Amino acid sequence: MEIIFYHPTFDTPYWIAELSKQLPGANVREWKRGDNQHADYALVWHPPVEMLQGRDLKAVFALGAGVDSILSKLKANPEMLPESIPLFRLEDTGMGLQMQEYAVSQVLHWFRRFDDYQAQQQKSEWQPLADYQREDFTIGIMGAGVLGSKVAESLLAWGFPVRCWSRSHKAWPNVKSFAGADELGEFLRETRVLINLLPNTSETVGIINLNLLNQLQDHSYLLNLARGVHVVEDELLQALNSHKLKGAMLDVFSREPLPQESPLWQHPRVVMTPHIAAVTRPQEAIAYIARTITGLERGDHVSGQVDRQRGY
Ligand SMILES: NC(=O)C1=CN([C@@H]2O[C@H](COP(=O)(O)OP(=O)(O)OC[C@H]3O[C@@H](n4cnc5c(N)ncnc54)[C@H](O)[C@@H]3O)[C@@H](O)[C@H]2O)C=CC1
Ligand SMILES: O=C(O)C(=O)CO
């Protein structure tokens, strides 16, 4: 079995060595420009079109959870990967735990009013504030998929009321489930902390706009862990400046790196990280890919296949 690997920044020799260990019958090689030799599987992130085009592959694996970048490249170059070749993505592989760490730490930061105490400290002000109550701190998770479910689990464990919104209803214990455009308003009405874990699709671009933010509880918070294009950044600033939103923590931006001139950098109630909420963990990802390839070779049903029509 022949496997080609391409990632612009990963430690390619490590990946090749580990994949070779876990798939003993496979010959794994780094794809380099000009390599037209046969391959059964391709493991990729931001692949050049010529890497995939015209190949008779059994499957392609995206080396991340979101497949928006590869699907947008496919839209511009449909011949890069015919529909008959399945595309897989990473399901969790250690990203769920990282999202839990991120979400829990920031929700607790807001809940314990550390943002207010930081602002007071800057004014040398010693002033205990009233506690927030959990019943006024409903967490609303948009995108109830692999990562959304992990985040919901972790916040339930801290005793917060949790609700989720997705395409179809979920039967998760102790989580109120809302689905589709018809139930979005009801989902938002009681949400105090909105956590975004939607995929980037034509239906979700710009979904977090002023109209949506205005439907949240007053003095709400936004945690964007998914993609920058979900948020209309000017409208987010309007919601912050009107104090409809008390704070926002953003891991992702419509342009990355965030341009120096963006007012988000300096906003006193915005905190940010440079797209690190959950990164691909090589060991877990390699184990998942090896397991999935083994399953595909046996003809088993395996999970993680992207529905290209749906866009995730
Ligand atoms: N910031 C970061 O470091 C990372 C960000 N991500 C982002 O997180 C996203 C989610 O990842 P997973 O949970 O693995 O995806 P998933 O595919 O398991 O879950 C997606 C969820 O969104 C819902 N959804 C999709 N379209 C919808 C629509 N139009 N209306 C309502 N609900 C809709 C689906 O029903 C599903 O519940 C990825 O697509 C990626 O963009 C993923 C990993 C790291
Ligand atoms: O896996 C993804 O989709 C990511 O955004 C990784 O940072």
Side-chain angles (χ1 to χ4, degrees), residues 160-183:
F160 292 102
V162 177
R163 52 180 52 202
C164 67
W165 179 76
S166 55
R167 254 190 214 279
S168 54
H169 287 113
K170 307 289 169 202
W172 296 348
N174 303 315
V175 176
K176 212 164 175 180
S177 166
F178 299 82
D182 290 350
E183 294 180 13

PDB file of all heavy atoms in Angstrom, residues 160-183:
ATOM      1  N   PHE A 160     -23.259  24.176  34.969  1.00  0.00           N
ATOM      2  CA  PHE A 160     -23.941  25.224  34.199  1.00  0.00           C
ATOM      3  C   PHE A 160     -25.120  24.644  33.423  1.00  0.00           C
ATOM      4  O   PHE A 160     -25.040  23.508  32.938  1.00  0.00           O
ATOM      5  CB  PHE A 160     -22.975  25.876  33.199  1.00  0.00           C
ATOM      6  CG  PHE A 160     -21.899  26.683  33.864  1.00  0.00           C
ATOM      7  CD1 PHE A 160     -20.616  26.177  34.008  1.00  0.00           C
ATOM      8  CD2 PHE A 160     -22.195  27.936  34.380  1.00  0.00           C
ATOM      9  CE1 PHE A 160     -19.630  26.915  34.646  1.00  0.00           C
ATOM     10  CE2 PHE A 160     -21.214  28.683  35.026  1.00  0.00           C
ATOM     11  CZ  PHE A 160     -19.929  28.168  35.157  1.00  0.00           C
ATOM     12  N   PRO A 161     -26.204  25.401  33.254  1.00  0.00           N
ATOM     13  CA  PRO A 161     -27.259  24.956  32.345  1.00  0.00           C
ATOM     14  C   PRO A 161     -26.694  25.008  30.912  1.00  0.00           C
ATOM     15  O   PRO A 161     -26.075  26.007  30.530  1.00  0.00           O
ATOM     16  CB  PRO A 161     -28.361  26.011  32.508  1.00  0.00           C
ATOM     17  CG  PRO A 161     -27.974  26.855  33.683  1.00  0.00           C
ATOM     18  CD  PRO A 161     -26.500  26.704  33.886  1.00  0.00           C
ATOM     19  N   VAL A 162     -26.879  23.932  30.159  1.00  0.00           N
ATOM     20  CA  VAL A 162     -26.290  23.862  28.816  1.00  0.00           C
ATOM     21  C   VAL A 162     -27.381  23.577  27.788  1.00  0.00           C
ATOM     22  O   VAL A 162     -28.243  22.726  28.006  1.00  0.00           O
ATOM     23  CB  VAL A 162     -25.191  22.766  28.738  1.00  0.00           C
ATOM     24  CG1 VAL A 162     -24.623  22.651  27.320  1.00  0.00           C
ATOM     25  CG2 VAL A 162     -24.059  23.049  29.727  1.00  0.00           C
ATOM     26  N   ARG A 163     -27.326  24.299  26.671  1.00  0.00           N
ATOM     27  CA  ARG A 163     -28.217  24.046  25.546  1.00  0.00           C
ATOM     28  C   ARG A 163     -27.388  24.017  24.256  1.00  0.00           C
ATOM     29  O   ARG A 163     -26.279  24.565  24.225  1.00  0.00           O
ATOM     30  CB  ARG A 163     -29.315  25.110  25.471  1.00  0.00           C
ATOM     31  CG  ARG A 163     -28.781  26.526  25.494  1.00  0.00           C
ATOM     32  CD  ARG A 163     -29.882  27.571  25.429  1.00  0.00           C
ATOM     33  NE  ARG A 163     -30.912  27.380  26.409  1.00  0.00           N
ATOM     34  CZ  ARG A 163     -32.150  27.873  26.315  1.00  0.00           C
ATOM     35  NH1 ARG A 163     -32.475  28.626  25.271  1.00  0.00           N
ATOM     36  NH2 ARG A 163     -33.052  27.643  27.229  1.00  0.00           N
ATOM     37  N   CYS A 164     -27.910  23.343  23.253  1.00  0.00           N
ATOM     38  CA  CYS A 164     -27.154  23.286  22.004  1.00  0.00           C
ATOM     39  C   CYS A 164     -28.092  23.552  20.824  1.00  0.00           C
ATOM     40  O   CYS A 164     -29.312  23.379  20.934  1.00  0.00           O
ATOM     41  CB  CYS A 164     -26.451  21.939  21.843  1.00  0.00           C
ATOM     42  SG  CYS A 164     -27.563  20.541  21.618  1.00  0.00           S
ATOM     43  N   TRP A 165     -27.484  23.972  19.736  1.00  0.00           N
ATOM     44  CA  TRP A 165     -28.247  24.240  18.505  1.00  0.00           C
ATOM     45  C   TRP A 165     -27.509  23.603  17.341  1.00  0.00           C
ATOM     46  O   TRP A 165     -26.290  23.771  17.203  1.00  0.00           O
ATOM     47  CB  TRP A 165     -28.369  25.752  18.269  1.00  0.00           C
ATOM     48  CG  TRP A 165     -29.126  26.091  17.022  1.00  0.00           C
ATOM     49  CD1 TRP A 165     -30.479  26.026  16.845  1.00  0.00           C
ATOM     50  CD2 TRP A 165     -28.582  26.544  15.775  1.00  0.00           C
ATOM     51  NE1 TRP A 165     -30.802  26.418  15.564  1.00  0.00           N
ATOM     52  CE2 TRP A 165     -29.647  26.739  14.891  1.00  0.00           C
ATOM     53  CE3 TRP A 165     -27.296  26.807  15.320  1.00  0.00           C
ATOM     54  CZ2 TRP A 165     -29.485  27.175  13.575  1.00  0.00           C
ATOM     55  CZ3 TRP A 165     -27.112  27.243  14.012  1.00  0.00           C
ATOM     56  CH2 TRP A 165     -28.207  27.429  13.154  1.00  0.00           C
ATOM     57  N   SER A 166     -28.235  22.827  16.556  1.00  0.00           N
ATOM     58  CA  SER A 166     -27.593  22.176  15.404  1.00  0.00           C
ATOM     59  C   SER A 166     -28.635  21.936  14.329  1.00  0.00           C
ATOM     60  O   SER A 166     -29.731  22.490  14.374  1.00  0.00           O
ATOM     61  CB  SER A 166     -26.919  20.873  15.842  1.00  0.00           C
ATOM     62  OG  SER A 166     -27.857  20.051  16.474  1.00  0.00           O
ATOM     63  N   ARG A 167     -28.295  21.108  13.365  1.00  0.00           N
ATOM     64  CA  ARG A 167     -29.238  20.835  12.272  1.00  0.00           C
ATOM     65  C   ARG A 167     -30.404  19.969  12.717  1.00  0.00           C
ATOM     66  O   ARG A 167     -31.523  20.136  12.282  1.00  0.00           O
ATOM     67  CB  ARG A 167     -28.500  20.048  11.205  1.00  0.00           C
ATOM     68  CG  ARG A 167     -28.161  20.815   9.992  1.00  0.00           C
ATOM     69  CD  ARG A 167     -27.683  19.769   9.037  1.00  0.00           C
ATOM     70  NE  ARG A 167     -26.642  20.236   8.181  1.00  0.00           N
ATOM     71  CZ  ARG A 167     -26.853  20.950   7.094  1.00  0.00           C
ATOM     72  NH1 ARG A 167     -28.049  21.305   6.743  1.00  0.00           N
ATOM     73  NH2 ARG A 167     -25.847  21.305   6.337  1.00  0.00           N
ATOM     74  N   SER A 168     -30.074  18.973  13.576  1.00  0.00           N
ATOM     75  CA  SER A 168     -31.137  18.072  14.049  1.00  0.00           C
ATOM     76  C   SER A 168     -31.047  17.987  15.571  1.00  0.00           C
ATOM     77  O   SER A 168     -30.000  18.300  16.155  1.00  0.00           O
ATOM     78  CB  SER A 168     -30.941  16.680  13.442  1.00  0.00           C
ATOM     79  OG  SER A 168     -29.628  16.248  13.731  1.00  0.00           O
ATOM     80  N   HIS A 169     -32.144  17.566  16.195  1.00  0.00           N
ATOM     81  CA  HIS A 169     -32.178  17.503  17.662  1.00  0.00           C
ATOM     82  C   HIS A 169     -31.244  16.437  18.200  1.00  0.00           C
ATOM     83  O   HIS A 169     -31.068  15.389  17.585  1.00  0.00           O
ATOM     84  CB  HIS A 169     -33.611  17.234  18.140  1.00  0.00           C
ATOM     85  CG  HIS A 169     -34.484  18.442  17.984  1.00  0.00           C
ATOM     86  ND1 HIS A 169     -35.524  18.489  17.094  1.00  0.00           N
ATOM     87  CD2 HIS A 169     -34.441  19.650  18.587  1.00  0.00           C
ATOM     88  CE1 HIS A 169     -36.092  19.685  17.158  1.00  0.00           C
ATOM     89  NE2 HIS A 169     -35.453  20.406  18.043  1.00  0.00           N
ATOM     90  N   LYS A 170     -30.655  16.700  19.350  1.00  0.00           N
ATOM     91  CA  LYS A 170     -29.781  15.730  20.024  1.00  0.00           C
ATOM     92  C   LYS A 170     -30.473  15.261  21.297  1.00  0.00           C
ATOM     93  O   LYS A 170     -31.140  16.067  21.961  1.00  0.00           O
ATOM     94  CB  LYS A 170     -28.446  16.380  20.434  1.00  0.00           C
ATOM     95  CG  LYS A 170     -27.728  17.077  19.311  1.00  0.00           C
ATOM     96  CD  LYS A 170     -27.160  16.094  18.315  1.00  0.00           C
ATOM     97  CE  LYS A 170     -26.671  16.801  17.072  1.00  0.00           C
ATOM     98  NZ  LYS A 170     -26.564  16.003  15.899  1.00  0.00           N
ATOM     99  N   ALA A 171     -30.234  13.995  21.633  1.00  0.00           N
ATOM    100  CA  ALA A 171     -30.808  13.488  22.892  1.00  0.00           C
ATOM    101  C   ALA A 171     -29.680  13.344  23.901  1.00  0.00           C
ATOM    102  O   ALA A 171     -29.369  12.253  24.352  1.00  0.00           O
ATOM    103  CB  ALA A 171     -31.502  12.150  22.635  1.00  0.00           C
ATOM    104  N   TRP A 172     -29.041  14.445  24.241  1.00  0.00           N
ATOM    105  CA  TRP A 172     -27.936  14.401  25.210  1.00  0.00           C
ATOM    106  C   TRP A 172     -28.514  14.628  26.599  1.00  0.00           C
ATOM    107  O   TRP A 172     -29.266  15.587  26.802  1.00  0.00           O
ATOM    108  CB  TRP A 172     -26.916  15.496  24.929  1.00  0.00           C
ATOM    109  CG  TRP A 172     -26.197  15.410  23.623  1.00  0.00           C
ATOM    110  CD1 TRP A 172     -26.181  14.344  22.764  1.00  0.00           C
ATOM    111  CD2 TRP A 172     -25.401  16.425  23.013  1.00  0.00           C
ATOM    112  NE1 TRP A 172     -25.408  14.634  21.669  1.00  0.00           N
ATOM    113  CE2 TRP A 172     -24.909  15.903  21.797  1.00  0.00           C
ATOM    114  CE3 TRP A 172     -25.031  17.715  23.376  1.00  0.00           C
ATOM    115  CZ2 TRP A 172     -24.091  16.633  20.945  1.00  0.00           C
ATOM    116  CZ3 TRP A 172     -24.205  18.443  22.534  1.00  0.00           C
ATOM    117  CH2 TRP A 172     -23.740  17.910  21.340  1.00  0.00           C
ATOM    118  N   PRO A 173     -28.128  13.799  27.561  1.00  0.00           N
ATOM    119  CA  PRO A 173     -28.677  13.966  28.907  1.00  0.00           C
ATOM    120  C   PRO A 173     -28.390  15.372  29.457  1.00  0.00           C
ATOM    121  O   PRO A 173     -27.262  15.858  29.355  1.00  0.00           O
ATOM    122  CB  PRO A 173     -27.946  12.899  29.746  1.00  0.00           C
ATOM    123  CG  PRO A 173     -27.238  12.021  28.781  1.00  0.00           C
ATOM    124  CD  PRO A 173     -27.160  12.707  27.465  1.00  0.00           C
ATOM    125  N   ASN A 174     -29.427  15.989  29.988  1.00  0.00           N
ATOM    126  CA  ASN A 174     -29.323  17.305  30.656  1.00  0.00           C
ATOM    127  C   ASN A 174     -28.976  18.475  29.733  1.00  0.00           C
ATOM    128  O   ASN A 174     -28.634  19.554  30.220  1.00  0.00           O
ATOM    129  CB  ASN A 174     -28.314  17.266  31.815  1.00  0.00           C
ATOM    130  CG  ASN A 174     -28.700  16.204  32.811  1.00  0.00           C
ATOM    131  OD1 ASN A 174     -29.873  16.098  33.172  1.00  0.00           O
ATOM    132  ND2 ASN A 174     -27.747  15.389  33.209  1.00  0.00           N
ATOM    133  N   VAL A 175     -29.021  18.265  28.434  1.00  0.00           N
ATOM    134  CA  VAL A 175     -28.752  19.370  27.499  1.00  0.00           C
ATOM    135  C   VAL A 175     -30.032  19.646  26.715  1.00  0.00           C
ATOM    136  O   VAL A 175     -30.617  18.726  26.144  1.00  0.00           O
ATOM    137  CB  VAL A 175     -27.607  19.026  26.517  1.00  0.00           C
ATOM    138  CG1 VAL A 175     -27.413  20.142  25.486  1.00  0.00           C
ATOM    139  CG2 VAL A 175     -26.308  18.766  27.270  1.00  0.00           C
ATOM    140  N   LYS A 176     -30.472  20.913  26.724  1.00  0.00           N
ATOM    141  CA  LYS A 176     -31.674  21.289  25.969  1.00  0.00           C
ATOM    142  C   LYS A 176     -31.261  21.463  24.512  1.00  0.00           C
ATOM    143  O   LYS A 176     -30.329  22.215  24.216  1.00  0.00           O
ATOM    144  CB  LYS A 176     -32.203  22.609  26.533  1.00  0.00           C
ATOM    145  CG  LYS A 176     -33.679  22.737  26.461  1.00  0.00           C
ATOM    146  CD  LYS A 176     -34.141  23.860  27.368  1.00  0.00           C
ATOM    147  CE  LYS A 176     -35.621  24.066  27.194  1.00  0.00           C
ATOM    148  NZ  LYS A 176     -36.144  25.126  28.037  1.00  0.00           N
ATOM    149  N   SER A 177     -31.963  20.757  23.638  1.00  0.00           N
ATOM    150  CA  SER A 177     -31.538  20.747  22.240  1.00  0.00           C
ATOM    151  C   SER A 177     -32.492  21.555  21.361  1.00  0.00           C
ATOM    152  O   SER A 177     -33.718  21.436  21.471  1.00  0.00           O
ATOM    153  CB  SER A 177     -31.487  19.287  21.778  1.00  0.00           C
ATOM    154  OG  SER A 177     -31.389  19.222  20.391  1.00  0.00           O
ATOM    155  N   PHE A 178     -31.911  22.377  20.493  1.00  0.00           N
ATOM    156  CA  PHE A 178     -32.676  23.181  19.537  1.00  0.00           C
ATOM    157  C   PHE A 178     -32.117  22.879  18.153  1.00  0.00           C
ATOM    158  O   PHE A 178     -30.924  22.604  18.006  1.00  0.00           O
ATOM    159  CB  PHE A 178     -32.514  24.671  19.833  1.00  0.00           C
ATOM    160  CG  PHE A 178     -33.017  25.065  21.193  1.00  0.00           C
ATOM    161  CD1 PHE A 178     -32.216  24.890  22.318  1.00  0.00           C
ATOM    162  CD2 PHE A 178     -34.286  25.590  21.355  1.00  0.00           C
ATOM    163  CE1 PHE A 178     -32.674  25.238  23.582  1.00  0.00           C
ATOM    164  CE2 PHE A 178     -34.762  25.953  22.619  1.00  0.00           C
ATOM    165  CZ  PHE A 178     -33.947  25.777  23.736  1.00  0.00           C
ATOM    166  N   ALA A 179     -32.986  22.953  17.143  1.00  0.00           N
ATOM    167  CA  ALA A 179     -32.501  22.617  15.796  1.00  0.00           C
ATOM    168  C   ALA A 179     -33.126  23.526  14.751  1.00  0.00           C
ATOM    169  O   ALA A 179     -34.291  23.917  14.855  1.00  0.00           O
ATOM    170  CB  ALA A 179     -32.823  21.161  15.475  1.00  0.00           C
ATOM    171  N   GLY A 180     -32.295  23.848  13.762  1.00  0.00           N
ATOM    172  CA  GLY A 180     -32.785  24.551  12.575  1.00  0.00           C
ATOM    173  C   GLY A 180     -33.096  26.017  12.807  1.00  0.00           C
ATOM    174  O   GLY A 180     -33.154  26.496  13.945  1.00  0.00           O
ATOM    175  N   ALA A 181     -33.310  26.710  11.709  1.00  0.00           N
ATOM    176  CA  ALA A 181     -33.537  28.156  11.758  1.00  0.00           C
ATOM    177  C   ALA A 181     -34.747  28.508  12.618  1.00  0.00           C
ATOM    178  O   ALA A 181     -34.738  29.516  13.330  1.00  0.00           O
ATOM    179  CB  ALA A 181     -33.732  28.673  10.334  1.00  0.00           C
ATOM    180  N   ASP A 182     -35.777  27.670  12.609  1.00  0.00           N
ATOM    181  CA  ASP A 182     -37.005  27.980  13.351  1.00  0.00           C
ATOM    182  C   ASP A 182     -36.775  28.067  14.853  1.00  0.00           C
ATOM    183  O   ASP A 182     -37.528  28.737  15.563  1.00  0.00           O
ATOM    184  CB  ASP A 182     -38.060  26.874  13.120  1.00  0.00           C
ATOM    185  CG  ASP A 182     -38.586  26.912  11.708  1.00  0.00           C
ATOM    186  OD1 ASP A 182     -38.271  27.896  11.007  1.00  0.00           O
ATOM    187  OD2 ASP A 182     -39.278  25.952  11.305  1.00  0.00           O
ATOM    188  N   GLU A 183     -35.786  27.318  15.347  1.00  0.00           N
ATOM    189  CA  GLU A 183     -35.587  27.284  16.806  1.00  0.00           C
ATOM    190  C   GLU A 183     -34.376  28.100  17.255  1.00  0.00           C
ATOM    191  O   GLU A 183     -34.023  28.087  18.431  1.00  0.00           O
ATOM    192  CB  GLU A 183     -35.450  25.816  17.273  1.00  0.00           C
ATOM    193  CG  GLU A 183     -36.737  25.043  17.072  1.00  0.00           C
ATOM    194  CD  GLU A 183     -36.657  23.582  17.512  1.00  0.00           C
ATOM    195  OE1 GLU A 183     -35.691  23.190  18.197  1.00  0.00           O
ATOM    196  OE2 GLU A 183     -37.576  22.830  17.156  1.00  0.00           O
TER     197      GLU A 183
END
